[in-house]
Amino acid sequence: MNERYSRKEMAKIWEEENKYKIWLSIEVAAAEAMEKLKLIPKGVTSTIKKRAKINVDRIHKIENQVHHDMIAFLSSITEKVGSEGKFLHNGMTSSDILDTCFNFQLVQASKILNKDIDEILQVLKYKSLKYKNTICIARSHGIHAEPTTFGFKLASFYEEFKRNKKRLESAIKEISTCAISGAVGTFANVDPRVEAYVAKKM
C-alpha cells in the first residue's frame, strides 16, 4: 500500500507480517481438523501453536533460494516447530492458503470501512437534524433551482450511505469464503470436512 495515503490500521492488514500470521492460522486450523479426523497424530497442532514463530526476514532468505513463497514459509515454520512441521499443508495447495488469506484480509479491511460508515451515518444524522431549517439554494441541471434546506441535503446523503453500508455488508458475506480443496480443487487429497472446519474457524 502507498504509505502516504493509507492509515496505519489499514496498512497493517496488508503487511507481510499479518499475511504470514493468517497463513499460519489457516495451516493450524487445517491441521486441527485433520487431527480431529485422525488423519495426523494427536497433539501435533498444540506443538505447532507453542513453537511456531513468524520471521519475515527468514522467509525471504529461504525464498531467495527456493523461489517459492509457500515452501519458504513452511520451511521457516518447520525450523521452529521441528518434526511436527511435516504435517502442515498436508494434501493442500498454495492457492488454498493464498486465496483464503486474501479473502480474510479483505474481510479485515472491510470491517474498518464498515465502522467508518457507521461513524459517517451518526454524523450525517446529527447534522441533518441540526440544519433541517437552514435554507440553501438547491441545484438542478447544474444551475440554481428551488430553495431547500442544508439538513434535507444531508438527509439524502444519510440514506445514500445506508445503501452503501448494505452493499459493503453484502460484499463481506460474498468474500467470506475459503477453499481448502487441494490441487485443482478436487478434494483428491484433502477431506472436504477440513475445508468446512477451517471456514467455520476462520
Side-chain angles (χ1 to χ4, degrees):
M1 291 192 81
N2 189 316
E3 220 175 292
R4 182 188 294 174
Y5 302 116
S6 56
R7 292 178 290 172
K8 283 183 182 177
E9 58 178 339
M10 185 65 82
K12 198 171 182 182
I13 291 169
W14 303 102
E15 286 175 0
E16 288 201 303
E17 179 86 20
N18 186 54
K19 179 183 79 173
Y20 292 132
K21 280 180 180 175
I22 298 168
W23 285 16
L24 182 59
S25 297
I26 297 164
E27 292 283 3
V28 167
E32 279 177 352
M34 292 178 198
E35 199 173 308
K36 287 177 187 291
L37 294 167
K38 298 181 179 168
L39 300 171
I40 62 174
K42 193 174 179 181
V44 164
T45 50
S46 61
T47 302
I48 292 168
K49 283 179 185 176
K50 282 177 197 168
R51 296 182 186 168
K53 296 280 185 295
I54 301 296
N55 184 331
V56 176
D57 291 336
R58 180 62 183 147
I59 294 168
H60 286 171
K61 194 172 181 181
I62 297 170
E63 190 175 354
N64 286 336
Q65 296 171 337
V66 300
H67 307 292
H68 194 291
D69 56 353
M70 190 56 60
I71 291 171
F73 166 76
L74 291 166
S75 299
S76 170
I77 296 299
T78 301
E79 284 177 348
K80 296 288 182 187
V81 168
S83 60
E84 279 86 350
K86 68 184 176 185
F87 296 108
L88 288 171
H89 210 70
N90 194 7
M92 292 156 67
T93 191
S94 296
S95 292
D96 290 337
I97 305 302
L98 297 173
D99 295 349
T100 301
C101 173
F102 183 58
N103 286 354
F104 193 84
Q105 287 173 296
L106 287 173
V107 170
Q108 286 182 321
S110 297
K111 283 180 179 176
I112 292 172
L113 297 177
N114 207 18
K115 184 172 170 282
D116 291 342
I117 290 177
D118 285 337
E119 289 176 15
I120 289 169
L121 284 169
Q122 279 185 346
V123 172
L124 285 172
K125 186 175 184 179
Y126 170 75
K127 296 286 186 182
S128 64
L129 290 168
K130 182 178 178 180
Y131 296 110
K132 68 180 180 179
N133 295 318
T134 302
I135 302 294
C136 69
I137 199 74
R139 297 184 75 83
S140 179
H141 301 283
I143 60 171
H144 284 175
E146 300 298 319
T148 185
T149 70
F150 187 55
F152 182 74
K153 274 189 165 188
L154 293 179
S156 69
F157 298 153
Y158 175 82
E159 289 301 319
E160 184 180 343
F161 271 96
K162 270 170 65 178
R163 294 192 297 274
N164 290 337
K165 182 175 170 64
K166 279 184 182 176
R167 290 185 195 105
L168 181 60
E169 286 171 347
S170 176
I172 292 170
K173 281 183 184 176
E174 192 72 24
I175 58 176
S176 295
T177 60
C178 84
I180 309 293
S181 50
V184 301
T186 61
F187 292 102
N189 298 302
V190 182
D191 191 306
R193 290 173 292 178
V194 173
E195 182 183 79
Y197 182 90
V198 174
K200 191 173 181 181
K201 182 99 178 178
M202 296 297 292

